[in-house]
Amino acid sequence: MTRLHLARRSLILRLVGLSLLLLLIVQAAGFAVVRASIDRNARAQIARALDLDENIWRRLLDQNAERLRQGSALLAADYGFRSAVNSGDEDTIQSVLENHGSRIGAAVTALLGTDLELRAVSLTDGMEHFPATLRQVVPRLASQPQGSQTVVMDGVPYQFVMVPMRAPLVIGWVLMGFPIDQSRADEMRKLLAVHVALVVKGADGVVKVPVATLPPDARAQLLHEGGAVAELQTAEGTLLVRASALDSVGGEVRSLLLRSVDEVVAPYRQLQVLLAIITVAGVLLFAVGTGLVAQRLTTPLRSLLTATQRLSRGEYDTPLEHTGRMDEIGNLARSFDHMRVDIAAQQTEIRRLAYWDRLTGLPNRERFREAVVQALAGHPDHPGRAVTPQPVAVLTLDLDRFKHVNDVLGYAFGDRLLQAVAERLSQLVRSPEDMVARLGGNEFAILLLNADAAAAHDMAQRINQSFEEPLAFEDQTVDLSAGIGFACWPGDADDADTLLSRSEIAMYAAKRKLSGALQYDAAFDSASAQTLSLLTELRHAVEHDELRLYLQPKVPLHDQAGLAAEALVRWQHPQRGLVPPMHFIPFAEQTGFVRQLTLWIFEEVAQLLADPRTRGLPLRVSVNLSTRDLLDPDLSNRLADILARHGVAASAFCLEITESAIMDDPQRAEAMLNRLSEQGFKLSIDDFGTGYSSLAYLKRLPVDELKIDKSFVMGMETGEDDAMIVRSTIDLAHNLGLTVVAEGVETAAILEQLRVLSCDEAQGYHITRPLPVADFLAWQARQGSG
């Protein structure tokens, strides 16, 4: 009995020993496999995290470059700065560069000419080597005006951007440079818990680490290795390194992203400790609990392994199992589940930053473009089913006077205005498949699916009707208007990018023509090349004496003393003959070349008045001033120089200004008109009745004459309303002590009506067409002899 008992006991011992041995072998093997798997998965996870980190880091640099580009664009769009550039006011240019660069923290703020040569520059301390680097930076930025360029100077990396200055053609380039400082790296560290370091190797071969979130020992080790490391051993443990080179000049710049292996492995080490504890308990109680312990261990581990595989594939929607257990396995599962939720939230936030506008909550330009691409590709209900593409329309609108709102009421008010416009546009979109987006600045876009040109025009009309109701914020009311352009697919474009581009081209054409909405037309697209050619030809015309001075008489209606005429310009083109002014004057006004034309006319009139043939005549000549002329701070000085050069009195001139030119900038216009009046010039309001000036404001201006627009004068014969407007304007002017000129006199009946209404002077084809100087003098001689 004892021998049998000993045999059983020996068998049990052998079984227990064998079981223990097998258990220990299995556990040892499991530990080895888990450890190897943990290390492999940790490194793979870090590699994926570094992929994401690298994308976000480049995104941050791109966002920083975009912020710099916006700052540069703001300076390039500044009207006063553009005026200073056009006029060559070097002191103002230098002052604006220094002030703007100081305000936004730029290390370099420079103005380049259209030939990319440096005109003016504002530098901070430590930027003495910038001029030598300029020749390397500018050609690269000019070849990619929407990009940025990294430059190494004195071991410090800088980001440079360059934007064109348009008026509306390119008149120069604004170049700005900012140091890539510690704040970008700290932002990455806070956002994603990843270390960032910039390793800079200068042209002299010296390696520096100007930016890093690493502790001092790791930074010193990195500097010692020259940045060429795949792993870094620090007090925090092993750091895996992801290096990428930045396109740079003046040296080499490498950005390093580093993540700790130990931080990733730490949760798994806790799991190994837990397995060891469970193994010991299983060894002690294997007779009764081996199966239970095995089940408790293997099932959750398989679930967690599956979960980690799903996470590695980017599947964040499936919750983990065993999160309800109140033990270590449950804690681990909950930790994994929290990690899943956090990673999903980070991915969602990254997608939001990439595709949505922060201010308005609308899709941004990139998201809108993707939507247009998808709309043009079609949306099949089932895989493999063919779909007939439906027509698509894209509307682009740009708010009018938005810069004026920002300048007068502040950027915070401008932001609220953009949010209100976004809400109003969103309410106008009826289909959930359509989209409203903010493309940037004060530019919005609307995507209409299954919509043709008629539907797009209807949407544009509804937008204009919606904008008729002003926006009210507290005690401020803002009237809305916008230039709207639209393009339709497949008629106006073959692909998404062309469709977007042509919608914007139509929008700019609508703003130029002051039209409510315009559909894309091929004529709009060719305007760019034509204007470049026309501007060159106009300059050639001024330099080679192709312009001709014409005069149209203004005759008195009540035997007043004196002789008056309006100076006009004609272009005697060597190939096209005599070019009418409507073919080049609007273009000259748009590009700013009208100021050269105005000075040419004034010079020619001054020469005529100084001519012996006209010195004995009581001749007063009217010269038209445009908006750009009136807002030129040196206009009065330029005119005074011409008068002094020819010995002509200012009283021999009448300067005609339209109402709209005055109302573009009333304060500056009023100041200039006062200076011109003090010089002795007679001032006239041209096209009166078609602008927006109030009587109270008109009374403040030092004007001597009103010129009734020809549309009212020509309508006197057929329209009682026009006759009443002319009569009222004459009475108003006389009550204000002003003389009245009526232009557009086409018939003798109109001339007689004006005489009866006590109009002072008349001008029009019934009297005579505009005449060359010699013909005008001959016509005047005939009138005098008659």
Side-chain angles (χ1 to χ4, degrees):
M1 188 70 176
T2 303
R3 186 177 294 180
L4 179 60
H5 176 71
L6 290 175
R8 287 182 178 177
R9 189 173 178 183
S10 176
L11 180 59
I12 292 173
L13 289 175
R14 287 197 302 270
L15 291 175
V16 170
L18 180 59
S19 299
L20 288 173
L21 179 60
L22 293 175
L23 179 61
L24 291 173
I25 292 174
V26 170
Q27 291 300 319
F31 271 100
V33 171
V34 169
R35 185 178 184 86
S37 177
I38 287 173
D39 186 70
R40 183 173 58 257
N41 289 341
R43 290 177 178 271
Q45 181 179 340
I46 291 175
R48 290 190 296 272
L50 288 174
D51 289 339
L52 178 62
D53 296 339
E54 184 175 6
N55 292 334
I56 295 177
W57 172 242
R58 291 192 177 275
R59 179 67 176 175
L60 284 176
L61 292 180
D62 292 342
Q63 288 179 344
N64 186 53
E66 182 60 25
R67 179 180 65 82
L68 308 184
R69 194 174 298 107
Q70 291 176 359
S72 303
L74 180 63
L75 174 58
D78 184 84
Y79 184 82
F81 184 59
R82 287 188 296 171
S83 299
V85 173
N86 277 326
S87 62
D89 188 347
E90 301 298 332
D91 292 338
T92 301
I93 292 172
Q94 188 66 34
S95 176
V96 171
L97 290 177
E98 292 175 357
N99 292 337
H100 190 82
S102 175
R103 184 165 62 252
I104 66 176
V108 176
T109 309
L111 171 67
L112 308 178
T114 55
D115 57 357
L116 300 182
E117 292 295 328
L118 183 66
R119 289 187 55 182
V121 64
S122 171
L123 303 174
T124 60
D125 294 336
M127 297 295 294
E128 292 79 11
H129 299 293
F130 167 72
T133 313
L134 180 65
R135 297 186 180 277
Q136 296 176 286
V137 178
V138 170
R140 294 197 179 197
L141 289 175
S143 65
Q144 49 171 1
Q146 296 301 318
S148 64
Q149 180 63 53
T150 304
V151 180
V152 177
M153 287 184 287
D154 293 332
V156 178
Y158 293 81
Q159 266 189 304
F160 278 81
V161 297
M162 186 169 71
V163 299
M165 178 183 296
R166 303 181 185 273
L169 299 177
V170 174
I171 62 173
W173 297 81
V174 173
L175 178 71
M176 283 193 176
F178 299 75
I180 303 177
D181 55 19
Q182 185 69 28
S183 61
R184 300 280 79 81
D186 292 338
E187 184 177 356
M188 277 289 290
R189 180 63 179 163
K190 293 178 181 178
L191 179 64
L192 296 174
V194 61
H195 284 294
V196 179
L198 290 183
V199 179
V200 178
K201 184 177 181 181
D204 53 0
V206 177
V207 178
K208 295 182 179 180
V209 185
V211 175
T213 60
L214 296 168
D217 61 327
R219 191 167 183 167
Q221 183 181 353
L222 185 63
L223 186 60
H224 176 73
E225 296 291 340
V229 293
E231 292 186 7
L232 200 63
Q233 299 296 330
T234 68
E236 296 181 4
T238 302
L239 297 178
L240 293 186
V241 182
R242 173 66 59 81
S244 60
L246 300 181
D247 184 21
S248 60
V249 298
E252 300 176 4
V253 180
R254 302 179 69 207
S255 63
L256 305 183
L257 302 176
L258 306 94
R259 279 191 176 272
S260 173
V261 176
D262 294 350
E263 289 180 0
V264 178
V265 171
Y268 297 97
R269 298 300 184 213
Q270 296 176 3
L271 175 60
Q272 287 180 309
V273 172
L274 177 62
L275 291 176
I277 295 173
I278 295 175
T279 300
V280 172
V283 170
L284 298 176
L285 302 174
F286 75 96
V288 292
T290 301
L292 180 61
V293 171
Q295 183 179 6
R296 289 178 61 85
L297 287 175
T298 56
T299 303
L301 287 178
R302 284 196 298 268
S303 176
L304 290 176
L305 182 59
T306 302
T308 58
Q309 292 172 348
R310 286 199 301 267
L311 291 179
S312 67
R313 294 193 298 268
E315 300 174 6
Y316 307 109
D317 298 332
T318 305
L320 271 71
E321 300 177 3
H322 310 289
T323 55
R325 294 176 53 165
M326 302 307 295
D327 56 11
E328 290 80 356
I329 298 295
N331 291 335
L332 184 60
R334 283 190 293 274
S335 297
F336 268 86
D337 203 50
H338 291 161
M339 181 178 68
R340 174 189 63 82
V341 173
D342 291 342
I343 294 176
Q346 291 178 5
Q347 293 290 332
T348 301
E349 177 65 13
I350 292 170
R351 285 193 294 270
R352 191 185 69 82
L353 291 174
Y355 292 111
W356 298 89
D357 177 56
R358 288 186 175 183
L359 178 63
T360 61
L362 295 177
N364 62 10
R365 181 183 292 271
E366 184 63 27
R367 178 69 187 92
F368 187 78
R369 180 187 175 277
E370 287 190 2
V372 175
V373 171
Q374 293 173 0
L376 268 56
H379 297 279
D381 295 332
H382 300 284
R385 177 181 295 180
V387 174
T388 302
Q390 299 296 326
V392 174
V394 171
L395 289 85
T396 306
L397 63 96
D398 187 87
L399 300 180
D400 296 329
R401 303 181 301 280
F402 182 71
K403 181 181 181 297
H404 182 68
V405 172
N406 276 340
D407 293 341
V408 175
L409 301 178
Y411 289 95
F413 188 91
D415 289 346
R416 294 176 62 190
L417 176 63
L418 291 175
Q419 291 169 341
V421 170
E423 181 178 356
R424 186 168 291 189
L425 292 177
S426 299
Q427 292 173 353
L428 293 175
V429 174
R430 298 171 179 172
S431 172
E433 296 181 346
D434 297 338
M435 177 182 290
V436 179
R438 181 189 176 204
L439 302 184
N442 58 321
E443 188 176 343
F444 294 83
I446 300 177
L447 170 64
L448 300 178
L449 301 181
N450 196 19
D452 55 11
H457 188 269
D458 178 68
M459 172 60 77
Q461 294 297 105
R462 289 196 285 122
I463 293 173
N464 284 327
Q465 292 173 3
S466 172
F467 282 3
E468 290 177 359
E469 180 182 351
L471 284 174
F473 299 104
E474 299 173 355
D475 57 343
Q476 295 289 346
T477 301
V478 179
D479 292 319
L480 288 177
S481 62
I484 305 176
F486 62 91
C488 300
W489 179 85
D492 295 330
D494 296 328
D495 56 74
D497 290 327
T498 304
L499 185 64
L500 292 170
S501 173
R502 290 181 173 176
S503 176
E504 289 193 3
I505 290 172
M507 179 266 289
Y508 289 126
K511 290 181 73 70
R512 287 196 302 270
K513 298 183 178 182
L514 301 179
S515 301
L518 283 180
Q519 184 178 3
Y520 170 79
D521 189 288
F524 303 157
D525 231 347
S526 62
S528 175
Q530 293 175 1
T531 54
L532 288 175
S533 174
L534 184 58
L535 183 59
T536 302
E537 292 187 37
L538 268 178
R539 288 199 179 99
H540 184 274
V542 173
E543 295 169 357
H544 293 78
D545 197 26
E546 295 179 3
L547 300 182
R548 302 288 181 266
L549 179 66
Y550 275 57
L551 297 173
Q552 185 173 29
K554 295 160 52 173
V555 299
L557 299 183
H558 301 284
D559 299 325
Q560 304 99 313
L563 170 64
E566 180 179 0
L568 303 169
V569 63
R570 298 292 187 269
W571 182 5
Q572 187 64 47
H573 195 280
Q575 283 80 36
R576 289 181 280 174
L578 197 63
V579 180
M582 286 305 296
H583 288 183
F584 64 92
I585 293 296
F587 165 75
E589 291 177 345
Q590 178 185 354
T591 59
F593 193 77
V594 70
R595 289 185 295 183
Q596 283 85 339
L597 294 182
T598 300
L599 293 177
W600 182 90
I601 295 174
F602 200 89
E603 183 88 33
E604 291 293 314
V605 172
Q607 289 180 3
L608 174 64
L609 293 174
D611 193 291
R613 295 177 297 172
T614 58
R615 277 194 177 275
L617 297 176
L619 178 61
R620 185 184 71 253
V621 181
S622 298
V623 176
N624 289 281
L625 297 183
S626 70
T627 302
R628 294 180 181 268
D629 293 320
L630 199 58
L631 299 183
D632 181 1
D634 292 331
L635 175 65
S636 57
N637 296 331
R638 299 180 197 274
L639 300 187
D641 291 342
I642 296 176
L643 294 177
R645 190 162 58 251
H646 295 283
V648 179
S651 57
F653 286 85
C654 178
L655 303 181
E656 296 186 0
I657 310 100
T658 62
E659 289 181 84
S660 58
I662 297 173
M663 297 312 295
D664 277 350
D665 194 336
Q667 293 182 346
R668 290 177 60 186
E670 183 178 353
M672 178 56 68
L673 291 177
N674 284 325
R675 291 208 297 270
L676 294 173
S677 179
E678 292 170 358
Q679 288 180 261
F681 290 105
K682 181 177 181 180
L683 303 177
S684 173
I685 301 296
D686 194 11
D687 298 337
F688 184 77
T690 62
Y692 309 97
S693 58
S694 65
L695 295 180
Y697 185 73
L698 181 63
K699 187 177 179 180
R700 289 167 44 191
L701 299 176
V703 298
D704 308 284
E705 175 184 282
L706 291 185
K707 196 170 185 181
I708 304 176
D709 185 69
K710 62 183 179 182
S711 62
F712 301 121
V713 176
M714 296 172 66
M716 290 176 60
E717 282 188 309
T718 58
E720 185 63 29
D721 291 341
D722 288 330
M724 185 179 300
I725 291 173
V726 173
R727 182 187 303 111
S728 301
T729 303
I730 294 173
D731 292 341
L732 168 66
H734 287 165
N735 289 335
L736 294 175
L738 308 177
T739 59
V740 182
V741 178
E743 62 176 340
V745 178
E746 303 288 337
T747 64
I750 294 177
L751 186 63
E752 184 58 31
Q753 278 184 278
L754 293 171
R755 185 177 283 111
V756 171
L757 294 177
S758 300
C759 184
D760 299 295
E761 293 181 345
Q763 174 184 351
Y765 279 18
H766 174 69
I767 299 168
T768 182
R769 294 175 177 270
L771 302 170
V773 173
D775 294 346
F776 169 79
L777 295 176
W779 179 86
Q780 180 58 35
R782 291 195 299 271
Q783 300 301 309
S785 62

